[in-house]
C-alpha cells in the first residue's frame, strides 16, 4: 500500500493563508509547477534556496509513493521588469553588455544553472520547458483571451484588461489581498501606459521596436511575449487547466502569480492552482543580499572559498544541510558562524549514521523506534518542516550513541528500522548526497583523483583551458574540490 495513504500531509496555502490537508485532484497523482530561473545571469543563492525547498518537497512526495509530474520552466525571453520600457528586457540588456547573441546568453547561464543545481544534488524536474519553445502556445493563449473579451490589442501590443476581469465578478488581487483601487494608487507612471485602457493592465504581448533583438511574428505584428504569459501557457499544456501545487519565491506573488491566476480563470473558467506555495528570503549577516551594497556572494564562491565573508570553503552537503535548518517560509540568514556550526552538526549526523554499522543487537528493545520514525513523518507532514525533521534525526543519532555505549538495547528488526529511517530521511528526503567511503575504496578514490589532476596539469600545460575547466567542474559536481597552490594541486572531499 502507498505510504501516502497512511499519512496526513498539511500544506500552507498562500491563497487561503492557512495550512490545509493536502488532497490531490487525482488520487495518487500530483501536478507541481515551480517558476524556474530567468537565465540572463548566474544563479544566485536566493534562487538555490527556493529551488532546494521545492526539491525537498518533490523528494518527500515521491517518498510517499505519489506519482509526481514536476514542471520547472526556464525563462529565456520576455522578462520585462515593467510593461512600459522594452529597454528593460534583461536578455537584450545582457546581450549588449556581454556582446553576445541573446541565445548565447541564455545558453551560458542555463548551463551555469544546471551545473550549480547538480552540485547540490537536486533531482531534475520531469519537464523543463522554455519560454522560447512555447511561443505558439503563448500566441494562442493571447488570442483566446482577446476572443473572450479579457484582453485587447493596442499599437501592436496586447494587454490583459484588469477592470473587465473584476467587472465579471472575478478578483484580481486575491492572492495578495489587494484591491483594484489600491493597485491603481500604486501604479507608476511608465512609458507605454498610454497604450493601456487602465494603468494596472499587464502585457500579454509586446510590440517589438526595430532595435529589439528578440522578436517573433504574431497576428498583431512582430513582438515578444509578456513575462506572466509563459507560465500559464506551459503549466496548462503539461498539467492541465487546474493542478495541485504551484511554487516560487515570495517575490513572485505579485504581480507574477497574481497575473497567472487571472489568466487561468479568464481563459478556462477555473482557478488554475489548488495550493500556492512561496519560499521566504535568504539574507547574509542579517542583511539583504544585494550586488549594489556588496553584501553578495555566488554559490560557487561559497563552495570554492576565496571570498570576503566566509573563513573557508564549504562542501555542498554542508550548504544544503545549513539551508534546510530553516523552514521554507522563514527567512534564512547565513553567516560564517552559521556555516561553521552547520558543518559541525553535519559531521555529527554523518558520524552517527556510520556508527550504526557497529551496533550490536539484543533479544529486546528499550527504545520505541516506531514512534520515533512516525515523528519524522509528522515533521514533514506539517508543511514540510525540515528543521523539526533534522531535530528528529539528531534524536535518532542520540539513540545510536546510547546503543553504542550499551546504555540501551535494540532488536535486529528495530535496528534495521532505525538505520532505514535515518538513511531515507537524510539521503532520500533531505537530499544530502551519500558519500560513504572507507578503506580500500578511499584509496582508490585518491588514486583516481590524482590521475585526473595529472591529466588536468597536462591540459593546462598545453593551454587546453576548456578540458582543464571541465575536469575541475566535474570533480566539483561530485563533491571533490581542487585547490591550486604554489606547491601544486591538492583536493578535498
Amino acid at each position: 500500500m502507498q505510504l501516502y495513504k497512511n499519512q496526513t500531509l498539511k500544506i500552507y496555502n498562500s491563497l487561503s493563508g492557512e495550512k490545509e490537508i493536502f488532497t490531490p485532484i487525482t488520487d495518487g497523482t500530483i501536478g507541481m509547477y515551480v517558476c524556474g530561473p530567468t537565465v540572463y545571469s548566474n544563479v544566485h543563492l536566493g534562487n538555490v534556496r527556493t529551488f532546494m525547498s521545492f526539491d525537498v518537497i518533490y523528494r518527500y512526495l515521491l517518498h510517499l509513493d505519489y506519482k509526481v509530474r514536476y514542471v520547472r520552466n526556464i525563462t529565456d525571453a520576455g522578462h520585462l521588469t515593467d510593461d512600459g520600457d522594452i529597454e528593460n528586457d534583461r536578455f537584450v540588456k545582457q546581450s549588449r553588455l556581454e556582446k553576445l547573441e541573446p541565445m548565447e546568453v541564455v545558453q551560458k547561464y542555463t548551463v551555469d544553472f544546471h551545473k550549480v543545481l547538480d552540485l547540490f544534488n537536486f533531482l531534475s524536474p520531469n519537464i523543463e520547458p522554455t519560454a522560447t519553445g512555447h511561443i505558439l502556445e503563448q500566441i494562442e493563449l493571447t488570442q483566446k483571451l482577446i476572443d473572450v473579451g479579457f484582453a485587447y490589442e493596442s499599437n501592436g501590443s496586447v494587454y490583459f484588461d484588469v477592470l473587465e476581469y473584476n467587472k465579471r465578478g472575478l478578483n484580481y488581487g486575491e492572492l495578495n489581498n489587494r484591491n483594484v483601487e489600491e493597485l491603481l494608487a500604486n501604479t507608476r507612471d511608465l512609458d507605454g501606459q498610454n497604450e493601456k485602457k487602465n494603468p494596472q493592465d499587464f502585457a500579454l504581448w509586446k510590440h517589438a521596436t526595430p532595435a529589439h533583438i528578440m522578436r517573433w511574428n504574431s497576428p498583431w505584428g512582430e513582438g515578444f511575449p509578456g513575462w506572466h504569459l509563459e507560465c500559464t501557457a506551459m503549466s496548462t499544456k503539461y498539467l492541465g487547466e487546474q493542478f495541485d501545487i504551484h511554487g516560487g519565491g515570495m517575490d513572485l506573488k505579485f504581480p507574477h502569480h497574481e497575473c497567472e491566476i487571472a489568466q487561468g480563470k479568464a481563459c478556462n473558467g477555473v482557478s488554475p492552482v489548488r495550493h500556492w506555495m512561496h519560499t521566504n528570503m535568504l539574507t547574509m549577516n542579517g542583511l539583504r543580499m544585494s550586488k549594489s551594497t556588496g553584501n553578495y556572494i555566488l554559490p560557487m564562491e561559497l563552495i570554492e572559498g576565496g571570498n570576503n565573508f566566509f573563513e573557508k570553503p564549504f562542501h555542498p552537503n554542508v550548504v544544503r544541510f545549513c539551508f534546510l535548518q530553516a523552514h521554507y517560509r522563514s527567512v534564512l540568514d547565513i553567516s560564517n558562524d552559521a556555516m561553521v556550526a552547520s558543518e559541525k552538526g553535519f559531521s555529527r549526523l554523518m558520524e552517527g549514521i556510520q556508527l550504526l554499522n557497529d551496533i550490536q543487537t539484543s533479544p529486546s528493545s528499550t527504545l520505541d523506534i516506531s514512534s520515533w520514525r512516525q515523528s519524522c513523518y509528522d515533521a514533514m507532514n506539517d508543511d514540510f518542516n525540515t528543521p523539526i525533521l533534522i531535530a528528529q534525526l539528531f534524536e535518532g543519532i542520540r539513540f545510536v550513541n546510547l546503543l553504542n555505549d550499551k546504555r540501551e538495547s535494540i532488536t535486529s528488526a528495530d535496528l534495521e528500522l532505525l538505520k532505514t529511517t535515518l538513511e531515507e530521511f537524510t539521503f532520500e528526503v533531505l537530499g544530502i548526497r551519500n558519500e560513504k567511503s572507507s578503506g580500500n575504496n578511499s584509496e582508490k578514490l585518491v588514486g583516481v583523483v590524482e590521475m585526473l589532476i595529472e591529466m588536468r596539469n597536462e591540459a593546462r600545460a598545453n593551454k587546453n583551458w576548456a578540458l582543464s575547466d571541465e575536469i575541475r567542474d566535474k570533480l566539483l559536481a561530485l563533491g571533490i574540490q581542487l585547490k591550486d597552490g604554489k606547491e601544486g594541486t591538492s583536493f578535498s572531499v
Side-chain angles (χ1 to χ4, degrees):
M1 188 163 78
Q2 293 94 339
L3 267 174
Y4 65 81
K5 293 185 181 293
N6 296 323
Q7 305 295 331
T8 301
L9 173 62
K10 290 185 177 181
I11 298 177
Y12 181 86
N13 190 346
S14 298
L15 188 58
S16 67
E18 296 178 351
K19 289 181 187 177
E20 300 173 355
I21 294 176
F22 176 71
T23 304
I25 297 168
T26 302
D27 184 46
T29 302
I30 294 172
M32 182 169 80
Y33 187 94
V34 173
C35 288
T38 303
V39 285
Y40 68 95
S41 64
N42 297 103
V43 60
H44 59 73
L45 274 174
N47 293 142
V48 171
R49 194 263 170 115
T50 291
F51 299 133
M52 188 179 293
S53 297
F54 288 104
D55 181 63
V56 171
I57 290 165
Y58 178 42
R59 286 172 174 273
Y60 186 60
L61 296 174
L62 292 175
H63 175 77
L64 291 180
D65 298 321
Y66 281 110
K67 181 180 179 181
V68 185
R69 176 174 285 179
Y70 176 20
V71 181
R72 186 185 66 213
N73 71 302
I74 296 280
T75 297
D76 59 351
H79 193 151
L80 291 179
T81 53
D82 58 59
D83 287 339
D85 185 3
I86 65 169
E87 294 304 312
N88 284 328
D89 187 313
R90 295 176 175 182
F91 297 100
V92 173
K93 289 174 71 173
Q94 196 66 24
S95 67
R96 288 171 179 165
L97 183 66
E98 298 195 36
K99 295 182 172 57
L100 297 171
E101 284 289 327
M103 281 300 137
E104 286 183 280
V105 171
V106 166
Q107 178 68 9
K108 174 181 177 180
Y109 293 114
T110 300
V111 169
D112 170 75
F113 172 69
H114 288 141
K115 183 187 298 183
V116 170
L117 265 56
D118 286 346
L119 197 60
F120 288 108
N121 198 33
F122 282 54
L123 296 179
S124 297
N126 302 106
I127 302 173
E128 195 172 51
T130 64
T132 56
H134 295 77
I135 296 295
L136 179 60
E137 288 84 354
Q138 293 176 80
I139 290 174
E140 290 175 346
L141 179 58
T142 300
Q143 186 61 58
K144 184 175 180 180
L145 287 167
I146 292 174
D147 293 342
V148 295
F150 283 105
Y152 58 91
E153 186 269 339
S154 178
N155 297 330
S157 295
V158 180
Y159 295 95
F160 187 93
D161 193 331
V162 169
L163 290 188
E164 178 63 26
Y165 180 80
N166 277 40
K167 283 177 186 175
R168 299 198 197 182
L170 300 168
N171 180 20
Y172 183 78
E174 61 183 298
L175 181 63
N176 294 270
N177 295 315
R178 301 186 186 187
N179 56 47
V180 173
E181 289 74 21
E182 180 188 354
L183 295 171
L184 180 59
N186 292 331
T187 301
R188 291 183 295 153
D189 184 18
L190 301 170
D191 292 339
Q193 291 284 16
N194 59 352
E195 291 184 346
K196 302 180 182 182
K197 289 182 180 179
N198 319 294
Q200 56 275 74
D201 294 349
F202 58 88
L204 301 170
W205 186 266
K206 285 293 291 182
H207 169 71
T209 66
H212 200 272
I213 308 171
M214 302 180 81
R215 56 205 299 135
W216 291 265
N217 289 322
S218 80
W220 318 284
E222 286 193 337
F224 55 96
W227 173 32
H228 315 303
L229 191 63
E230 63 173 287
C231 288
T232 297
M234 292 187 284
S235 63
T236 301
K237 177 169 183 173
Y238 297 112
L239 299 175
E241 294 178 359
Q242 187 179 58
F243 53 96
D244 299 292
I245 297 172
H246 193 316
M250 64 181 298
D251 57 312
L252 298 180
K253 280 183 72 176
F254 189 86
H256 186 52
H257 290 161
E258 197 72 70
C259 294
E260 282 191 62
I261 292 174
Q263 290 166 164
K265 280 188 171 182
C267 241
N268 304 313
V270 63
S271 187
V273 179
R274 285 278 192 90
H275 293 83
W276 285 91
M277 301 182 68
H278 294 94
T279 60
N280 213 321
M281 292 175 57
L282 175 71
T283 59
M284 185 165 65
N285 296 318
L287 301 172
R288 181 176 177 270
M289 290 188 68
S290 169
K291 286 183 179 180
S292 60
T293 63
N295 192 56
Y296 185 82
I297 185 173
L298 289 171
M300 298 304 290
E301 293 172 327
L302 180 58
I303 292 167
E304 294 177 346
N307 58 77
N308 297 323
F309 300 101
F310 298 90
E311 65 184 49
K312 62 177 183 176
F314 289 96
H315 192 281
N317 265 344
V318 174
V319 177
R320 187 173 180 114
F321 184 70
C322 177
F323 280 20
L324 297 178
Q325 289 181 82
H327 189 263
Y328 77 88
R329 288 193 291 114
S330 300
V331 174
L332 167 64
D333 185 64
I334 59 169
S335 64
N336 186 73
D337 289 346
M339 289 303 306
V340 170
S342 292
E343 187 173 55
K344 292 177 180 177
F346 174 76
S347 297
R348 187 157 62 93
L349 180 62
M350 293 300 103
E351 289 165 4
I353 292 175
Q354 191 66 31
L355 193 58
L356 279 164
N357 298 319
D358 301 328
I359 301 300
Q360 296 180 355
T361 59
S362 300
S364 62
S365 291
T366 56
L367 296 168
D368 189 348
I369 301 302
S370 294
S371 295
W372 165 77
R373 176 180 170 86
Q374 184 56 46
S375 71
C376 293
Y377 281 102
D378 291 344
M380 289 302 288
N381 288 340
D382 184 16
D383 194 30
F384 310 99
N385 200 323
T386 56
I388 300 299
L389 172 61
I390 289 171
Q392 291 300 330
L393 294 178
F394 278 117
E395 177 69 3
I397 298 303
R398 188 178 73 85
F399 291 170
V400 174
N401 290 327
L402 289 170
L403 291 165
N404 188 57
D405 293 340
K406 306 292 194 299
R407 287 190 282 167
E408 300 284 358
S409 62
I410 194 167
T411 64
S412 57
D414 277 352
L415 178 60
E416 183 60 31
L417 188 63
L418 174 61
K419 180 178 181 181
T420 299
T421 304
L422 281 169
E423 291 185 346
E424 282 181 348
F425 279 95
T426 300
F427 303 125
E428 181 182 316
V429 175
L430 292 182
I432 301 298
R433 196 186 298 274
N434 191 348
E435 296 177 335
K436 293 179 183 177
S437 62
S438 60
N440 191 42
N441 287 337
S442 182
E443 293 174 9
K444 288 179 180 178
L445 173 64
V446 171
V448 171
V449 174
E450 287 180 347
M451 178 183 69
L452 289 169
I453 288 174
E454 289 180 13
M455 292 174 61
R456 180 171 175 264
N457 288 339
E458 184 177 345
R460 295 172 78 187
N462 294 329
K463 297 187 177 182
N464 188 346
W465 308 119
L467 177 59
S468 170
D469 291 345
E470 184 179 5
I471 293 172
R472 179 200 63 202
D473 292 343
K474 286 190 174 180
L475 284 172
L476 192 58
L478 295 171
I480 301 169
Q481 180 183 340
L482 301 184
K483 191 162 187 177
D484 297 317
K486 293 181 180 178
E487 298 179 2
T489 302
S490 59
F491 75 93
S492 60
V493 180

